[in-house]
């Protein structure tokens, strides 16, 4: 099973790599999944691949017959002309660019847009601002039409930054039960599935911030919620008027314990 085998449309994945070859290996695996999903695939390589996109495409074609046969279903982009076009990290620009590209892919008859991007384009950005954008971009993925794998080069980004960036994404390539969300009941219910733990804690907090008074948070399809996550839910309930939380019986009991403890929880453990 490849690292990208668990990817599904709408996933927002954080990944790390330590060589150009590792980036390409992951990107090819993602591209093959995108092709199988009848989606358009867009690759933003760094380094030599960015400077010679035709050569990089030939490299990918040699390594994967599936990619070679995909033709124009796969495209290459230059992050200097797309993500970094304003000359700075601009969340509004990034949101508009990804939204427009996704809509164009669907209009062209594809199921959506899949992206693999070397995040070195953002090496000059404020690290906290970059992580905030990653975490707060969940609305781009709600419809399941955009799928993105954001790859951080450990030779460029400090290890704490790579770790923090991973926590700002709901999913990782090695996670067989990634955090996913969908909206139902005209956007009034946010249904979560998968795991919530330290690996995606920042992304989860950002999802909670999207909730408004009168909304419902449905946790029944989650497979793990660590104690930090439960404490965050309890605190969010105290902040919002009439926030409903739909739970399994065991989740309900654990939330009651957290509330009785004043909304705090010890760091660490996981719940099943």
């Amino acid at each position: 099973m490849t690292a990208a085998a668990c990817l599904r449309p709408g996933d927002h994945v954080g990944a790390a790599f330590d060589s150009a070859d590792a980036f390409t290996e992951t990107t090819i695996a993602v591209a093959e999944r995108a092709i199988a999903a009848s989606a358009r695939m867009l690759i933003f390589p760094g380094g030599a691949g960015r400077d010679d996109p035709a050569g990089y495409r030939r490299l990918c074609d040699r390594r994967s017959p599936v990619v070679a046969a995909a033709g124009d279903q796969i495209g290459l982009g230059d992050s200097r002309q797309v993500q970094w076009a304003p000359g700075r990290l601009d969340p509004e620009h990034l949101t508009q660019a990804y939204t427009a590209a996704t809509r164009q892919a669907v209009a062209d008859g594809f199921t959506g847009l899949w992206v693999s991007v070397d995040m070195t384009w953002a090496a000059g950005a404020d690290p906290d601002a970059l992580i905030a954008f990653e975490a707060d971009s969940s609305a781009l993925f709600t419809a399941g039409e955009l799928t993105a794998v954001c790859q951080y080069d450990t030779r460029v980004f400090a290890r704490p930054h790579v770790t923090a960036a991973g926590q700002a994404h709901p999913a990782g390539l090695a996670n067989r039960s990634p955090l996913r969300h969908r909206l139902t009941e005209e956007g009034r219910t946010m249904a979560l599935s998968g795991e919530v733990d330290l690996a995606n804690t920042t992304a989860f907090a950002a999802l909670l911030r999207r909730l408004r008074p009168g909304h419902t948070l449905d946790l029944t399809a989650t497979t793990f919620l660590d104690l930090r996550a439960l404490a965050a839910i309890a605190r969010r309930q105290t902040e919002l008027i009439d926030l409903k939380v739909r739970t399994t019986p065991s989740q309900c009991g654990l939330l009651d314990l957290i509330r009785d403890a004043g909304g705090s929880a010890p760091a660490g453990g996981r719940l099943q």
Side-chain angles (χ1 to χ4, degrees):
M1 179 178 290
T2 68
C6 296
L7 274 179
R8 282 174 35 186
D11 282 348
H12 184 205
V13 175
F17 68 98
D18 58 8
S19 68
D21 189 67
F23 173 85
T24 299
E25 181 180 356
T26 295
T27 295
I28 289 173
V30 174
E32 291 177 345
R33 291 286 293 169
I35 293 163
S38 299
R40 173 174 285 159
M41 177 71 190
L42 187 55
I43 303 169
F44 289 95
R50 184 182 60 180
D51 295 331
D52 181 15
Y56 189 77
R57 176 60 193 270
R58 289 194 296 271
L59 170 65
C60 294
D61 288 351
R62 288 196 301 271
R63 294 195 180 188
S64 170
V66 175
V67 170
D72 292 341
Q73 187 175 351
I74 296 178
L76 275 84
D78 188 335
S79 54
R80 294 168 296 193
Q81 299 174 6
V82 181
Q83 289 91 340
W84 199 248
R88 66 186 189 283
L89 177 67
D90 185 336
E92 183 177 356
H93 164 77
L94 290 169
T95 298
Q96 291 175 351
Y98 280 117
T99 299
T102 303
R103 287 176 178 169
Q104 187 61 57
V106 173
D108 290 342
F110 296 101
T111 58
L113 176 68
W114 289 44
V115 178
S116 176
V117 55
D118 181 338
M119 293 299 296
T120 302
W121 67 264
D126 175 72
D128 292 339
L130 177 59
I131 289 166
F133 168 74
E134 294 274 39
D136 291 335
S137 64
S138 60
L140 288 169
F141 302 90
T142 300
E145 294 177 341
L146 175 63
T147 305
V149 179
C150 305
Q151 299 195 53
Y152 285 79
D153 191 338
T154 57
R155 301 166 300 176
V156 174
F157 294 96
R159 177 55 66 178
H161 187 178
V162 174
T163 299
Q167 293 172 333
H169 291 77
L173 285 175
N175 191 338
R176 292 172 182 259
S177 186
L179 174 62
R180 296 184 173 111
H181 76 281
R182 61 185 177 87
L183 300 181
T184 62
E185 299 174 354
E186 298 181 342
R188 294 190 302 274
T189 294
M190 178 184 291
L192 303 182
S193 62
E195 299 181 339
V196 183
D197 57 20
L198 182 60
N200 54 21
T201 184
T202 309
F204 178 66
L207 283 172
L208 291 185
R209 288 196 296 271
R210 290 181 61 182
L211 296 168
R212 295 293 180 265
H215 283 188
T216 297
L217 176 64
D218 187 342
L219 302 172
T220 56
T222 55
T223 51
F224 285 105
L225 289 165
D226 71 6
L227 296 180
R228 295 180 189 85
L230 287 168
I233 293 165
R235 288 194 297 271
R236 194 62 175 144
Q237 281 190 288
T238 66
E239 295 168 353
L240 294 180
I241 300 171
D242 193 28
L243 172 63
K244 304 175 183 66
V245 180
R246 191 174 298 153
T247 65
T248 65
S250 60
Q251 290 169 343
C252 181
L254 290 166
L255 274 171
D256 284 343
L257 288 174
I258 294 293
R259 294 189 193 98
D260 290 344
S264 61
R270 304 176 92 199
L271 304 167
Q272 183 175 6

